[in-house]
Amino acid sequence: LWLFWFGRLFLAFFSSKHLRGLYFLGGICGGLLYMLAYNVFPYFQDAVYSSYLLGASASVLAIVVAVSVREPNYPVQFLFIGTVRLKYVALFMVVTDLLFITSGNGGGHIAHLGGALAGWWFTKSLQKGMDITCWINQVFDWLSGGIKFSRSAKKPKMKVNRGGKADDYDYNARKKQQSEEID
């Protein structure tokens, strides 16, 4: 649901290629921060060999943070809560992930923070005129360009006459005759 809601907001301010690129960049950054944290911090030492990374929540949080950085004062309606500005929604999500790093799903919260960092990085770099997702989009465009679905060319069902003034004259004469008949 978060991807649907914030994806629609994202598309109001960015392009669909940016959405695709940031989605994958958020997942990559979340995964990298997860692996880095589990291999660097001694707190996760016992869980390194039994842990696994699963899901796309880091990608979704990248989109949430990107929209929030782009339009921080944009109002959002929540059921039972009321109107909240986007910056507070993103701040709540990031602070929640920071607080629950030492919970049972610490790796997931670390990955969320990696995705949030990717969303912030994307928006700030785009404001400076640099698109950090262009390489991801180029890879996907190249991959989709390599797969061609060819369709046989069908003949047009209408006969097209490319005459000239004679055709225009005949057409106008027919229209006049039809108009007189109707009148």
Side-chain angles (χ1 to χ4, degrees), residues 1 10 15 19 34 53 100 105 128 141 147 159 177:
L1 287 174
F10 187 92
S15 72
L19 179 70
Y34 169 86
L53 183 62
F100 288 105
N105 184 20
K128 293 178 184 174
D141 289 343
I147 302 170
K159 183 178 178 185
Q177 182 185 9

Side-chain angles (χ1 to χ4, degrees), residues 5 54 62 77 93 129 151 158 160 176:
W5 293 324
L54 179 68
Q77 280 291 118
M93 295 301 295
R151 291 184 172 176
M158 264 177 47
V160 178
K176 184 178 178 186

Side-chain angles (χ1 to χ4, degrees), residues 69-89:
V69 171
R70 168 76 165 75
E71 292 293 324
N73 293 318
Y74 189 86
V76 180
Q77 280 291 118
F78 283 106
L79 190 64
F80 304 122
I81 296 174
T83 304
V84 180
R85 295 179 190 220
L86 277 179
K87 63 184 172 186
Y88 298 123
V89 174

